[in-house]
Amino acid sequence: MSNGSPGAPVVHGFPHLDTVRSAITALYRRLSPDGVHSYATSLVPADAAFSDADDLHLGAQRVARALVQHLHLPEARMIVGFRTMEHAASVELTAGPEYFIELNDRFRTHRRDIGAALAHEITHVLLHRLDLEFPGTRDNEILTDTVTAYLGAGWLLLDAFREDATSRQKLGYLTPEEFGYVLAKRALAFDEDPSPWFTSPQAYTAYTKGRAQALHDLRRPPLTAAGWAGRRRYAKDRRYGQDHPGTGTDPGVPYAFEPGGEGLRVSFPCPTCHQRIRLPVRGRTVARCGLCRTRLECDT
């Protein structure tokens, strides 16, 4: 897991959004919609609570056990240790059944964030067992953060983001707003509101910004919920696509027109899982995503 050292500059915004969306698609493909929906209830705050009065090692084992159960890893036994290290945490990925997690020594005195660090590392174990990975360290860490958040444990990572006049801390590779985006995508999919769990005001602000971006995904053409400006732009691009078959649209728009067997077709990402959907251009229709089964009202 990335260092998140106190005082290090925090990147904001949505620089990794394409990779995040690819990670959500990959998760649905690997687990299936039913598999993803088996994580419909998030880890509850009490399961990750860690006070200064708790025994350090016993408390870390308790939180690790709760995360193992939450992530459906019943056979995995986590052994948690602490040492001086550059990064926040690391896990030794072996065949199991025991996994060794090392946490940065600073968590000895920052116990409230132990659950966040463990959530990321135990998700690494889950992805290892699922044989799901992205090429390259950066993209694979973004995949891990995204899956941690989408499967109901990653709100801990966003809540570990704190920033004030004298110090700042962030865990994970996603920006705070990107964590907010993934948590909002999860909230929309499972009708869940994680905002009461945040103890960090900065985490709540990042969640609201991420949620605005997630809601924007639901209002892009050809979805009928698209706004007037988007619909007008779509109509213009559709006319151009009909007159110039096979030419691409502006890279900034989410849809593309292509010739089909019976006329023009439009392809666009599902607002839930981001798998691309292809529909004939013939007006209002109701489609269902073939990957996540979301019902989509469209005007093509």
Side-chain angles (χ1 to χ4, degrees):
M1 175 190 281
S2 74
N3 162 326
S5 296
V10 175
V11 176
H12 288 278
F14 301 94
H16 313 111
L17 205 52
D18 287 346
T19 308
V20 167
R21 287 167 171 164
S22 297
I24 294 173
T25 307
L27 180 64
Y28 272 95
R29 284 180 181 156
R30 183 64 186 84
L31 285 186
S32 81
D34 290 339
V36 172
H37 278 261
S38 71
Y39 293 86
T41 303
S42 283
L43 184 82
V44 297
D47 284 344
F50 204 128
S51 76
D52 289 341
D54 291 335
D55 178 274
L56 179 65
H57 290 90
L58 291 178
Q61 292 292 149
R62 173 182 57 78
V63 175
R65 202 157 45 242
L67 283 159
V68 164
Q69 291 170 353
H70 175 78
L71 290 171
H72 304 176
L73 283 166
E75 300 167 23
R77 180 166 172 255
M78 306 293 160
I79 298 170
V80 184
F82 297 80
R83 71 175 175 87
T84 302
M85 57 198 297
E86 178 188 355
H87 296 294
S90 66
V91 62
E92 182 182 313
L93 292 174
T94 61
E98 292 183 339
Y99 293 87
F100 296 88
I101 296 175
E102 292 184 313
L103 300 182
N104 192 298
D105 256 343
R106 78 168 186 268
F107 288 113
R108 291 177 181 272
T109 53
H110 290 78
R111 298 185 180 188
R112 63 186 283 189
D113 298 324
I114 283 177
L118 288 174
H120 178 96
E121 300 307 325
I122 294 171
T123 302
H124 266 305
V125 175
L126 172 66
L127 293 175
H128 177 67
R129 290 197 162 198
L130 292 174
D131 195 24
L132 177 58
E133 65 178 330
F134 279 0
T137 300
R138 171 188 166 277
D139 285 2
N140 204 49
E141 292 290 354
I142 290 170
L143 169 68
T144 305
D145 278 345
T146 302
V147 171
T148 308
Y150 205 87
L151 295 186
W155 66 267
L156 291 166
L157 283 157
L158 178 53
D159 198 41
F161 167 54
R162 288 183 289 280
E163 202 167 26
D164 58 37
T166 58
S167 66
R168 58 182 73 89
Q169 173 188 271
K170 184 186 79 70
L171 297 179
Y173 281 68
L174 297 186
T175 69
E177 293 78 14
E178 287 167 342
F179 271 121
Y181 173 79
V182 181
L183 291 171
K185 301 288 277 191
R186 172 185 166 79
L188 291 165
F190 301 122
D191 192 24
E192 179 182 76
D193 179 12
S195 58
W197 306 330
F198 297 128
T199 61
S200 161
Q202 294 82 19
Y204 180 77
T205 300
Y207 174 69
T208 60
K209 291 178 179 177
R211 187 172 185 272
Q213 180 66 48
L215 290 173
H216 179 66
D217 290 351
L218 300 174
R219 299 169 184 151
R220 301 195 297 180
L223 301 172
T224 55
W228 177 83
R231 294 296 316 161
R232 189 163 178 258
R233 169 70 185 273
Y234 179 84
K236 178 184 173 184
D237 290 340
R238 180 177 57 199
R239 283 194 301 274
Y240 188 85
Q242 287 167 334
D243 295 339
H244 305 83
T247 57
T249 52
D250 187 308
V253 300
Y255 51 80
F257 295 100
E258 54 196 47
E262 300 178 359
L264 199 66
R265 296 194 306 172
V266 62
S267 70
F268 60 97
C270 168
T272 299
C273 71
H274 298 282
Q275 164 104 318
R276 287 198 80 82
I277 296 167
R278 286 173 173 78
L279 296 176
V281 172
R282 57 175 67 150
R284 292 182 76 93
T285 186
V286 176
R288 190 174 293 277
C289 176
L291 178 56
C292 70
R293 304 178 193 151
T294 300
R295 185 179 181 272
L296 304 169
E297 294 190 12
C298 306
D299 188 351
T300 60

